Amino acid sequence: MTNKYNREFLLEYVESENKKNECNVSLDNMEKIVGLIEYFGIELYRPITRLLLSNWEEITERINNYTESDWMMADEIQKTTPTLDRFSIAMLIEVLEGEDTLNQAENAGRRLSEEELKAIRKHQDEQ
C-alpha cells in the first residue's frame, strides 16, 4: 500500500495529465485512477494514468450502459478485492477484457518507452 505522500504525488500527476490533455475527468474519478494505480503498483503510474485518462469517456459510457448481468463479474471480483469500488473494477474489466476504444485502436502500434518497459518488468519480477 502506498503512503500519504505517494497518494498526494499520484493525484497531482493525474491532475496535471488530465489538465494538460484536456480530458475533463472529475476529481472524484481522478481519485479512482489513483486507487487503480495503488492497486497495480506505483511504478506503473504513468502508463496507467495515460491509458485511463485518454479512454475515460468511452469506457465510462460503456459502464453506464451495463446491465445487471454485466455487473455480475465486477461484483464477484469485488468480493476478493475490497480495496476497489464496483466502478473501478468495471473500469479494469473494460480496459483489460473489453474491446479497444477508438483511442487504443489509433495507438495500437505505439511502442512503450524504455522507462515503461523497465517498470513493467520490475512489477512482473516482484509477482
Side-chain angles (χ1 to χ4, degrees):
M1 189 59 72
T2 60
N3 63 31
K4 185 177 187 224
Y5 170 79
N6 286 341
R7 186 164 187 79
E8 288 172 7
F9 164 78
L10 291 172
L11 187 56
E12 285 177 19
Y13 178 76
V14 173
E15 287 175 333
S16 70
E17 287 293 308
N18 184 44
K19 184 176 182 178
K20 180 173 76 174
N21 296 301
E22 299 177 0
C23 297
N24 300 316
V25 173
S26 71
L27 180 59
D28 184 50
N29 287 329
M30 286 188 280
E31 289 276 358
K32 291 179 188 305
I33 292 173
V34 169
L36 289 167
I37 294 168
E38 290 175 328
Y39 178 76
F40 279 108
I42 191 170
E43 61 276 352
L44 297 174
Y45 75 97
R46 292 172 104 173
I48 291 171
T49 298
R50 291 175 184 156
L51 173 69
L52 293 178
L53 283 176
S54 64
N55 295 289
W56 192 268
E57 189 175 314
E58 187 173 341
I59 293 173
T60 299
E61 181 67 27
R62 289 185 202 171
I63 294 169
N64 288 339
N65 289 305
Y66 266 23
T67 64
E68 278 306 307
S69 63
D70 292 328
W71 281 112
M72 287 175 63
M73 180 187 286
D75 291 339
E76 280 301 309
I77 294 170
Q78 191 176 27
K79 290 177 186 175
T80 59
T81 315
T83 58
L84 296 176
D85 64 24
R86 189 180 194 214
F87 181 88
S88 296
I89 292 169
M91 181 66 66
L92 281 178
I93 292 168
E94 286 298 323
V95 168
L96 298 173
E97 302 292 331
E99 292 182 27
D100 283 353
T101 64
L102 293 175
N103 187 37
Q104 287 171 309
E106 289 172 5
N107 290 306
R110 185 184 83 78
R111 295 182 50 86
L112 294 173
S113 70
E114 280 301 312
E115 184 178 310
E116 291 167 333
L117 287 170
K118 285 178 187 174
I120 291 168
R121 288 184 191 117
K122 181 180 176 199
H123 184 72
Q124 289 172 334
D125 290 344
E126 293 171 357
Q127 298 303 314

